[in-house]
Amino acid sequence: MEQLRTIGRELAMGSQGGWGQSKEFLDLVKSIGEARSKAEEDRIIARELEHLKRRLADPDVQRRKMKELLLRLVYAEMLGHDASFGHIHAVKMTHDESLPLKRTGYLAVALFLDERHDLVILVVNTIQKDLRSDNYLVVCAALTAACRLIGEEAIPAVLPQVVELLAHPKEAVRKKAVMALHRFYQRSPSSVSHLVSNFRKRLCDNDPGVMGATLCPLYDLILGEPNSYKDLVVSFVNILKQVAERRLPTSYDYHQMPAPFIQIKLLKILAVLGSGDKQASGHMYTVLGDIFRKGDTASNIGNAILYECICCISSIFPNPKMLEAAAETTSKFLKSDSHNLKYMGIDALGRLIKINPDIAEEHQLAVIDCLEDPDDTLKRKTFELLYKMTNSTNVEVIVDRMIEYMINITDHHYKTEIASRCVELAEQFAPSNQWFIQTMNKVFEHAGDLVNIRVAHNLMRLIAEGFGEEDEGADSQLRSSAVDSYLRIVGEPKLPSSFLQIICWVLGEYGTADGKYSASYIIGKLCDVAEAHLTDDTVKAYAISAILKIFAFEIALGRKIDLLPECQTLVDELSASHSTDLQQRAYELQALLGLDKNAVESVMPADASCEDIEVDRNLSFLNSYVQQALENGASPYIPESERSGVISIGSYRSQEQQETSAHTLRFEAYEMPKPSLPLATSQSSMSTPITNLVPVTEPGYYKEDHQTSKSQPPGDAVSGEFGVKLRLDGVQKKWGRPTYSSSTPSSSTSSKQTTNGASHSDGGGSSSQPRESSYGSKRQQGTEVSAEKQRLAASLFGSAAAKADRKAQASRKTAKDSPSTEKVATTNVTAQPVKEQVIPAAPPPDLLDLGDEPVSSNPPSADPFSQLEGLLGPASAAPVLSGTPATGTSKAPDLMSIFSDDVPTGVASGSTDPTLGDVNSSSHKGTTAVASKKGPSLQDALQKNATARQVGVTPTGNNPNLFKDLLG
Amino acid sequence: MINFVLLISRQGKVRLTKWYSPYTQKERTKVIRELSGLILTRGPKLCNFVEWRGYKVVYRRYASLYFCMCIDADDNELEVLEIIHHFVEILDRYFGSVCELDLIFNFHKAYYILDEILIAGELQESSKKNVARLIAAQAC
């Protein structure tokens, strides 16, 4: 009996319109709809999953039943729950002989798995088999699944068959085969590169659908290497011409436009092919002109084509007539009331000003309007346009606005983007140092942790180097204004770490440079910073190094300063820190305090962060030292090539040293020690290039103060008598690198002291060198880019100064204007629904849904959301009854208001509504009402309604929206 | 390219999801949560697009159901808006005046139809007639 019933249900499933699922499934959906909270929904699904797990494991379950279970599994996973236990059943179902079951299997597999999943390997075989099927529907299903599931490794397994299918008699199969190949190309271009000619062939397919599909892969291919496809320009232009002349079957028409999606794809392709190619572009002008002429600005799809045309024209070789047409359309977009079109207009403008910057001038007011608009999307698009338009005259206005906007948003992704744009614009166009520093301060203050740390390093470099002008005065003015502003800001709470790093570095480097502030004042501030950020080791490291620098400068100037008590506490604390880096810095500071003036001057020369480091790779400065050692009886260095089997003393010693260091903790993989050891160490002990880890040594430095500076680990060079100390070096190799590399301030200062042509080998030195050089290369890149951009900007806005003024004026003006325009908009809103009144409204309670529309005037429905919460439920009389009187006057939601070309199709009059409102109306009455609402197919609607009632869903229920026609 | 398709009801319930780029289950939940918050709160007269994590999401409301498609930054938003409408028109033709309830109880059919319109995140067929013919042939 049960079986019979199931079969009956399954039979019903085939009929359109009815919901063929079992009662169980309907109940599940219903209960989820009624769930009052996410937690309740989760409980229901968890129960369902338990149930499904049991049922799926049951070997006796019928295949047809299995199909439904799988769909329920899909449903559960769609709602965000893990249904992985059932994935294997989906895989199994793809093996099924019957097409409906197989398709269900493929559907579920494609939804559950992706190419990275382990189970895919079990599907590949089935796909392979199904691609050879005689039934084209099976082939279609397999191809659809292949697009989703075939990853790079599996491509060769199915590729031959897919290629064969390109010549299949059924156009649906050819089309899907093209799309599958396209997908394979995206996954792994090399695996299908030899098949590219097939796409060209398919371009001439008799079926427009296949031709249209072929444009997708061709677009990608052409984007990759446009030059190989220049021969197709004429063909594409021809196709576009024919499409625009309505040569394709009318079934491809969409809202009275001939095959618009194909037109758009073709325009995209032409844009790529014509880019910078005068000859190719020449072929295109006529057809583009035609499309502009035929353009339909009243429909959305017409505008989509026009927009694509503008993109194409702005990309290909410029033609004045075309540009004029494009500018005209753009201004129509900008003047439109629709936000969508304004958005497209702003985007189009951004493209056109690259070719002719003057176009922007005409639209200043519209642009400012968009900038002031409450719609975030539009605002951001406008910022993008401004970013493209920025030059040295308008940079202040634009960047200020950007920052103002940036401060108020919470979207991290966008905040990061706009912050880095501000930085970029400021670096490029800053009109004055003062402004630059202030702008950067604002950016760092509000988004410091979001911008790339390189930006912070860049800023330090900029302050150190100045703007590259020869004028030292300007540079020092820049620095002292930076110091001023930082001293003002530094006390504020919650500054981002990267900003504090900059502050510390600049204060350390330049805090006392102009003599305005006393050393103890700056040191006090720096101590405060370190104290206030106990958990941030990087900031503490920057602070302590900055303090060290201040001390060094003071000592070098011959002034005597005492360690403030708070500073002493800090140093003590850091000397005992868990971070070796902080420890080292603290000890360095203490050591430095013990040095005399001369020593300090050479360790920490003032303002030398920009000096170049010269590396004496031959270590020629060691010669005298070596000479002396030889005279004292040391054995001479023998290059390895001349060495015999006997281990010389030197290499023996270094080996020993290496071994001692080997007793310390080692974290790298084991190496092959014996043969390579003498080589490595003896190399570094003499004149050959430096070992990989400690780049440069500077013996002059040691000669001068190796007695005093204990914290400086001696370099390899001193292998002889200082053998014991060499161990330190070994240790440093293991430990030092990572710690040192975070020590920008000390490293950049210490690297300055290279008066005699080599940097010394302290930790800072070792890391500073690569860093400096990376700065260097970056800087170079930066100037290249900025030069290019500046050239671009210069060509964009010739008369920028006047314009900027006007813009400022305009902005003031529109700020005042905008409320009034908004008012107009609201009146539109209210006016529109009245017009739409004729639309046969879905059941009356719908009206209550309009919570967000100003017209909702039905008090009883006070909380539309509570209604929406429940999907289905017992018909509740109250809202319906109270809704009834309102039906006459209130309006159906304005679903299609954006798309004015969509004429409401319903014919039923509003008079059905009152009947519906009567909850107690006979079922007959109710059905007719719904039927008439259901539009053309009365039978479908009747059936649908009957099913709905069976499950307990009625249009008068809690959520009548579910019954509302999506298409109005 | 379309990265994913989402159908969300006004109260934030998911009606259909289709992912053309790989997302883990966790990411999917997060994306849905984020986008519902972003889109369902937008007023009626604003743009039908939102910029989101470097992508653009084009959405359109039909009755109380939101159709959302996530596209790359250089795609044509207006076109995608019409792809959504194209999809809805085909659904409407298939179900005969489609309503949300049809999609809830027949989500698998909606998936089949979507598979005939989009494949691998690209529009594969722009003729309603062809799609209808194929769907009828499969009689799913």
Side-chain angles (χ1 to χ4, degrees), chain A residues 343 374-378 380 405 409-415 852, chain B residues 4 6 8-12 29-61 66-71:
Chain A
Y343 177 95
D375 186 349
D376 243 18
T377 306
L378 198 51
R380 289 181 188 188
Y405 179 66
I409 53 173
T410 48
D411 172 354
H412 275 213
H413 190 277
Y414 191 67
K415 205 168 188 168
D852 54 349
Chain B
F4 56 79
L6 283 186
I8 318 175
S9 78
R10 243 203 65 177
Q11 58 268 47
T29 316
K30 191 159 173 260
V31 166
I32 292 171
R33 196 171 351 108
E34 236 174 83
L35 284 180
S36 327
L38 206 61
I39 289 170
L40 299 181
T41 51
R42 280 174 72 81
K45 283 282 163 189
L46 306 182
C47 284
N48 288 61
F49 331 123
V50 281
E51 289 178 16
W52 171 77
R53 294 205 214 157
Y55 296 100
K56 292 182 294 198
V57 178
V58 177
Y59 70 93
R60 194 158 166 180
R61 180 181 169 176
Y66 285 82
F67 287 65
C68 317
M69 291 188 180
C70 172
I71 51 172

Side-chain angles (χ1 to χ4, degrees), chain A residues 542-561:
Chain A
Y542 270 79
I544 187 80
S545 292
I547 294 172
L548 173 136
K549 276 183 265 182
I550 306 257
F551 275 127
F553 300 153
E554 290 298 300
I555 294 171
L557 287 172
R559 288 187 215 142
K560 171 98 181 89
I561 55 163

